[in-house]
Amino acid sequence: QVQLVESGGGLVQPGGSLRLSCAASGSISGINYMGWYRQAPGKRRELVAMMFSATSTRYEDSVKGRFTISRDNAKSTVYLQMNSLTPEDTAVYYCNGNFWGREYWGQGTQVTVSS
């Protein structure tokens, strides 16, 4: 079927930047959308950014203007460029995608923003 693998998380100071990557493999020709969620301790998992097409994207309000989702179709990879990071961005970030009408999740990558 489909596997999603995230990378790029780590520790960064407030105001810093990180770029997350999500590589998809398997039966990926049936892609409908791919994007990113995050979950902080004690909070519900929330949508961060979603890409429905090369020109159709959605962002959570608090990350608009700071985060950018993009993709490389040739490499079957989705990226999340995160700038001007704040402690409130600290969470486990999960890659999410829908292929052939079924949902798939990556294992998650930790992002910690702290001074």
Side-chain angles (χ1 to χ4, degrees):
Q1 292 183 312
V2 174
Q3 289 187 326
L4 305 176
V5 180
E6 305 101 329
S7 62
L11 175 65
V12 64
Q13 295 185 28
S17 299
L18 284 173
R19 189 179 75 159
L20 306 183
S21 300
C22 176
S25 62
S27 300
I28 60 176
S29 62
I31 185 172
N32 291 309
Y33 55 79
M34 287 185 67
W36 296 90
Y37 284 72
R38 67 185 180 187
Q39 187 166 25
K43 297 184 178 180
R44 291 186 59 194
R45 188 172 299 187
E46 66 176 0
L47 176 69
V48 177
M50 188 63 64
M51 176 169 283
F52 301 95
S53 71
T55 57
S56 179
T57 58
R58 179 185 177 185
Y59 294 93
E60 195 270 328
D61 287 343
S62 69
V63 310
K64 289 180 179 178
R66 300 189 298 121
F67 291 10
T68 303
I69 187 170
S70 62
R71 72 185 186 189
D72 184 336
N73 289 334
K75 298 178 64 176
S76 301
T77 300
V78 172
Y79 304 94
L80 185 67
Q81 179 66 46
M82 305 186 294
N83 299 326
S84 301
L85 286 163
T86 75
E88 288 70 41
D89 297 314
T90 296
V92 177
Y93 284 70
Y94 296 91
C95 184
N96 167 258
N98 186 284
F99 301 81
W100 306 101
R102 301 181 66 177
E103 293 288 315
Y104 295 88
W105 294 90
Q107 82 287 350
T109 185
Q110 177 71 46
V111 172
T112 302
V113 185
S114 176
S115 60

